[in-house]
Amino acid sequence: MQSWMVDIRRGHRALHMHQPLRALRHFERALLGAPTSRLPRDVPATLFYYIAVSLRKAGMRNRAVGSWVESARLSKRGHARRKLARVTNEYGMARQATGERDDEQAFYGVQLSRYIRSKKSHKLGTRAEIDMIVELVEEYWNRISSSGIMNDLDREQRLALFRDTVVVFPFLSVPEALKTDDVAIDFCHGTRVGPDDRCVCGSGLPYRTCHGRTPGIDEILTGKF
Ligand SMILES: [Zn+2]
């Protein structure tokens, strides 16, 4: 038996034994080792699916969403699409216990990804830097959530508010950092793509769960977005 097949078997066994990080290692190794160009696309799609299952069990819920998106892009019918509809919220992020937590998570995702894009290295550095940035974002979030400003806003308006809220990070040239917010345009129709429209890439997924996704902190911290 080829080694990538052995990895798949070991991955499933690790999942059964509630060892999601070990399962993750095996499934990722299988994905790298499988001759995906000579296999039906169902094989990598299935591997991305189980990578997502492992990530979710390990608590990395937005990285799991990202992996289910990959799976759904490869396979138009598989389970990943149904899974995505179940586990994502209206921001296209992993659903949290309450609507307020959904909002909070989206705010952090927007602000932290902007901070990272504005850095030359595109990486978060030390633990101290992460703590400082998270603390700063938290201050802004507390002000926004206690102001009542979001009460009458729908999800799209809230996301616009989060993007318009400029957290002033230390040591940054803010104007440069602000230029990078992309707006998706459907060039065939010349219209702006809404969050519930099909994504422009042709995956058949809603834009908000595909290329319009807001990354979660677990993706940002590991650089997997
Ligand atoms: Zn897309």
Side-chain angles (χ1 to χ4, degrees):
M1 189 183 277
Q2 298 179 48
S3 72
W4 62 273
M5 292 178 177
V6 175
D7 271 318
I8 292 177
R9 245 186 18 199
R10 289 187 176 153
H12 283 297
R13 201 179 312 148
L15 270 184
H16 278 296
M17 291 164 71
H18 305 287
Q19 297 174 322
L21 288 175
R22 237 185 79 204
L24 180 64
R25 249 194 344 263
H26 285 298
F27 289 129
E28 282 184 335
R29 214 157 61 190
L31 187 66
L32 289 173
T36 45
S37 57
R38 282 183 279 121
L39 293 168
R41 300 218 293 186
D42 285 356
V43 173
T46 304
L47 283 171
F48 275 118
Y49 186 93
Y50 282 108
I51 286 171
V53 170
S54 310
L55 285 165
R56 189 166 168 96
K57 283 189 198 280
M60 291 175 275
R61 303 176 67 206
N62 282 292
R63 280 185 65 193
V65 168
S67 201
W68 272 313
V69 169
E70 292 298 335
S71 178
R73 282 177 187 151
L74 286 165
S75 166
K76 301 273 177 213
R77 38 189 187 81
H79 307 300
R81 253 156 237 271
R82 284 195 298 279
K83 196 81 188 175
L84 273 174
R86 267 205 305 275
V87 302
T88 57
N89 60 22
E90 38 187 6
Y91 291 105
M93 305 177 80
R95 184 173 291 144
Q96 302 293 308
T98 64
E100 209 208 329
R101 299 279 302 163
D102 284 330
D103 291 334
E104 184 181 8
Q105 169 184 248
F107 184 75
Y108 276 73
V110 167
Q111 297 302 337
L112 283 174
S113 55
R114 173 182 289 155
Y115 173 72
I116 290 192
R117 280 198 312 253
S118 69
K119 286 187 69 177
K120 265 210 186 82
S121 62
H122 289 274
K123 271 194 206 121
L124 276 173
T126 59
R127 188 72 235 177
E129 180 188 5
I130 296 171
D131 289 347
M132 178 186 71
I133 296 302
V134 167
E135 223 169 90
L136 197 54
V137 173
E138 190 182 0
E139 266 176 47
Y140 279 74
W141 170 250
N142 288 339
R143 260 185 276 164
I144 288 178
S145 62
S146 60
S147 69
I149 192 176
M150 292 190 301
N151 293 351
D152 298 322
L153 303 181
D154 65 23
R155 202 264 320 164
E156 207 179 346
Q157 292 165 324
R158 284 177 192 207
L159 203 52
L161 169 74
F162 299 163
R163 287 183 175 147
D164 291 343
T165 304
V166 178
V167 173
V168 181
F169 295 112
F171 323 120
L172 281 182
S173 57
V174 172
E176 205 50 47
L178 285 179
K179 281 183 196 159
T180 47
D181 261 348
D182 307 319
V183 172
I185 306 283
D186 179 348
F187 286 102
C188 301
H189 300 93
T191 51
R192 190 165 176 270
V193 177
D196 293 317
D197 295 336
R198 299 239 165 145
C199 190
V200 288
C201 73
S203 66
L205 294 168
Y207 177 66
R208 73 179 143 79
T209 49
C210 194
H211 286 86
R213 279 178 64 223
T214 302
I217 296 176
D218 55 321
E219 293 171 279
I220 293 168
L221 291 182
T222 51
K224 298 271 168 100
F225 189 78

